[in-house]
Amino acid sequence: GIMICVECGRPVNDLYKEFGAGSGNIRLTHCEYCRQPADKYVEHDAVILFLDLFLHRPQAYRHFLFNKMEYHDRGIDVQYLKVLLVYVFFEGNQQTNMLSMMPSSSSWI
């Protein structure tokens, strides 16, 4: 699939280059348009990604949707569905709290 730069959203050929097969030594590829690392989340832990998703950072969503997501014949991996469920729970809770802080319409009368 196509990969994109998480900073500017432009397509990139690869996210990193590996030096020494299986050595784990990688160097992040820089986007030729914005000159930033194409996907900094390649080196970050899943917890950092989750927190950035929770904080609605566009770069985290670009990584999650375009560069990380591996589609299977059966659909989306269960691990991603769990993250989505937790996110929806927190977002719903935040919206409910915001609505409860608003003055009710009966107080205007």
Side-chain angles (χ1 to χ4, degrees):
I2 191 165
M3 292 172 280
I4 65 168
C5 171
V6 296
E7 299 297 331
C8 69
R10 300 267 176 94
V12 294
N13 293 329
D14 53 14
L15 302 176
Y16 61 89
K17 303 235 187 274
E18 187 173 1
F19 297 97
S23 67
N25 294 328
I26 65 169
R27 181 175 178 200
L28 295 179
T29 302
H30 283 73
C31 175
E32 59 187 57
Y33 297 102
C34 69
R35 305 285 184 223
Q36 297 294 318
D39 192 343
K40 62 186 176 186
Y41 292 100
V42 169
E43 293 185 324
H44 290 192
D45 191 40
V47 174
I48 300 296
L49 174 62
F50 175 75
L51 290 173
D52 283 355
L53 287 169
F54 185 73
L55 294 171
H56 299 289
R57 296 215 167 112
Q59 297 90 344
Y61 282 101
R62 289 178 187 143
H63 169 80
F64 185 74
L65 294 173
F66 294 100
N67 298 343
K68 178 74 173 157
M69 201 68 138
E70 295 179 7
Y71 294 99
H72 300 284
D73 290 336
R74 68 180 193 285
I76 298 173
D77 194 2
V78 175
Q79 158 187 335
Y80 298 119
L81 291 175
K82 289 178 184 178
V83 170
L84 180 63
L85 180 64
V86 169
Y87 170 76
V88 168
F89 171 76
F90 282 122
E91 186 66 22
N93 189 30
Q94 179 183 9
Q95 295 297 323
T96 302
N97 288 340
M98 290 178 73
L99 288 174
S100 68
M101 294 173 64
M102 294 177 62
S104 66
S105 59
S106 63
S107 65
W108 292 89
I109 299 174

